[in-house]
Amino acid sequence: MSKGRIFSGMQPSGKFHLGNYLGALENWIKLQQEYECFFSIVDLHALTSSYEDTSKLPENIYNMALDWLSAGLDPEKNVVFIQSHVKEHAELHLLLSMMTPLSWLERVPIYKDKIQQVSLQGKDLNTYGFLGYPELMTADIILYKADTVPVGEDQLPHLELSREIVRRFNYLYRPIFPEPEASLTKASILPGIDGRKMSKSYGNDISFSATPDEIRSRVKLMVTDPQRVKRTDPGHPEVCTAYKFHQFFSKSELSEIEQKCRQAEIGCVDCKKRLAENLVTALSEVHARRQTFESSPQKVRDILAFGAERARKVASATMEEVRDAMHLS
Ligand code: AMP
Ligand code: TRP
């Protein structure tokens, strides 16, 4: 028995790394067992902030599909699709925009923060589309009448707004939509190789599509305890980035590694070699799946087309109800 219906999405930014996997996708893979899930590559959302040069979009979408499939997201069990392939997202977004007070959109904290942040980089996000970002997100979720939305903490204000929009729709026209609830992904922030939060924009990431050799060379560059200068100096795992990775990827050897580090029985080079091999092992299935999908791009396209077809069925039924409730049918 399914516990309910899930919708979640991710922007195809071309930056999918190990942190994104641990912080979001790993959770989706677990949820696919218990819920009926809709997972969407939200390309229209990507346009809200990157509208000028769209030439990389096809490549980024394709790579995101590869990332998801190689991570083990099951395209039979879940509905996996590209947002813009289901035009109902755009239609519902438009209808919702008619009834949403401007002030609701303007007070979303991420909105003003991000406008300021990117204007420092010389980019203008004072656009209609960017303001409507949470409106589009609401349309995504409620088109499928999803009740549960797995997201990171930064997305909570968006979800709060989605619930307000739903209440307004249900009150003005007819109660069609359930109020979606966020299911917080337990934040386990993965550091990058320099110890800051892993992020492609810091250049400290390990790509989710890294080959075993790329993984090894990235781990080699990882910072360890800065006070451990000589091999014979005792180390401090609590300040070591490699140790933080061991906590994720070397669970069965953790206490041994910690002890050997503190007693200078293992050097940083060897410690990182062990980590690299554990990472390679942990990602070996992912790597194998990626190679299978990479060798048949048509299969990936078929999966996305099949997903869009399934999504469209649900979305178009919802839109009939919406049009009917709004006297547009
Ligand atoms: P972003 O690409 O930063 O918008 O992130 C997409 C998803 O990955 C969000 O759910 C983030 O919370 C998650 N995420 C991004 N970076 C990390 C990280 N270093 N560790 C854990 N989760 C992350
Ligand atoms: N805004 C989300 C993010 O940046 C992505 C997203 C778009 C989403 N539509 C969604 C997440 C609907 C959950 C539900 O992470």
Side-chain angles (χ1 to χ4, degrees):
M1 259 288 276
S2 163
K3 278 191 187 165
R5 191 177 272 182
I6 274 182
F7 185 98
S8 200
M10 236 185 252
Q11 292 189 41
S13 57
K15 298 177 182 167
F16 200 80
H17 53 63
L18 218 48
N20 297 129
Y21 170 69
L22 281 184
L25 208 62
E26 196 187 42
N27 187 39
W28 292 10
I29 310 274
K30 282 185 204 133
L31 294 167
Q32 70 181 359
Q33 311 298 343
E34 299 169 14
Y35 290 83
E36 186 188 0
C37 299
F38 291 75
F39 294 122
S40 183
I41 300 176
V42 291
D43 53 347
L44 297 174
H45 276 100
L47 289 180
T48 63
S49 51
S50 305
Y51 52 86
E52 285 160 317
D53 181 3
T54 58
S55 59
K56 291 269 177 339
L57 206 49
E59 181 186 328
N60 289 345
I61 291 171
Y62 177 72
N63 284 332
M64 175 149 275
L66 271 182
D67 287 325
W68 289 8
L69 294 170
S70 55
L73 208 63
D74 183 341
E76 298 285 331
K77 210 179 265 172
N78 310 294
V79 181
V80 178
F81 68 104
I82 300 172
Q83 183 190 31
S84 69
H85 287 188
V86 181
K87 304 224 177 345
E88 284 79 0
H89 289 252
E91 186 184 358
L92 186 55
H93 168 249
L94 177 80
L95 295 180
L96 295 178
S97 78
M98 304 300 171
M99 74 195 73
T100 307
L102 208 46
S103 60
W104 291 9
L105 293 167
E106 283 168 341
R107 73 168 189 239
V108 173
I110 309 170
Y111 176 64
K112 288 219 167 81
D113 286 357
K114 187 145 179 200
I115 284 198
Q116 270 178 350
Q117 201 187 323
V118 301
S119 75
L120 295 175
Q121 301 159 8
K123 203 164 146 185
D124 185 5
L125 280 191
N126 287 296
T127 57
Y128 180 50
F130 187 63
L131 179 71
Y133 185 107
E135 195 86 86
L136 182 57
M137 191 165 153
T138 304
D140 293 345
I141 298 165
I142 70 178
L143 257 183
Y144 304 96
K145 301 189 181 180
D147 43 48
T148 310
V149 185
V151 281
E153 206 170 348
D154 61 319
Q155 298 294 314
L156 291 182
H158 287 155
L159 256 291
E160 187 54 49
L161 181 58
S162 294
R163 281 194 293 277
E164 279 180 277
I165 296 172
V166 162
R167 283 195 287 271
R168 192 164 168 91
F169 183 99
N170 287 346
Y171 169 76
L172 287 175
Y173 308 109
R174 200 196 306 151
I176 292 181
F177 298 115
E179 287 182 32
E181 290 290 337
S183 148
L184 257 195
T185 309
K186 269 178 240 80
S188 43
I189 297 288
L190 189 69
I193 58 171
D194 63 357
R196 293 184 290 172
K197 177 186 169 177
M198 183 178 285
S199 165
K200 183 143 174 177
S201 49
Y202 293 152
N204 66 0
D205 63 312
I206 299 179
S207 165
F208 189 60
S209 56
T211 61
D213 279 342
E214 284 163 353
I215 293 174
R216 290 186 187 102
S217 67
R218 293 300 275 166
V219 173
K220 232 184 232 169
L221 297 173
M222 205 173 267
V223 294
T224 52
D225 174 4
Q227 294 195 320
R228 195 172 179 202
V229 184
K230 293 195 298 290
R231 165 72 178 77
T232 49
D233 293 338
H236 306 86
E238 63 278 6
V239 299
C240 175
T241 302
Y243 184 73
K244 290 213 178 76
F245 271 77
H246 276 303
Q247 289 177 318
F248 286 104
F249 297 101
S250 314
K251 290 194 175 108
S252 64
E253 308 161 31
L254 204 58
S255 56
E256 179 207 337
I257 287 166
E258 179 183 354
Q259 202 182 358
K260 285 192 168 161
C261 171
R262 287 194 198 284
Q263 295 169 355
E265 281 171 24
I266 185 173
C268 294
V269 174
D270 287 333
C271 181
K272 288 200 280 186
K273 270 189 192 151
R274 276 174 79 163
L275 171 63
E277 291 321 307
N278 289 347
L279 257 173
V280 169
T281 307
L283 292 174
S284 62
E285 272 183 46
V286 170
H287 199 66
R289 273 193 296 261
R290 179 178 293 271
Q291 282 178 328
T292 314
F293 284 113
E294 252 169 356
S295 63
S296 52
Q298 189 54 44
K299 182 153 188 216
V300 177
R301 283 193 283 272
D302 289 346
I303 285 172
L304 293 171
F306 173 60
E309 205 179 297
R310 290 164 74 194
R312 221 174 278 131
K313 278 206 185 98
V314 180
S316 65
T318 305
M319 282 315 294
E320 290 220 359
E321 283 184 84
V322 169
R323 278 186 227 111
D324 191 49
M326 294 179 74
H327 305 289
L328 294 167
S329 50

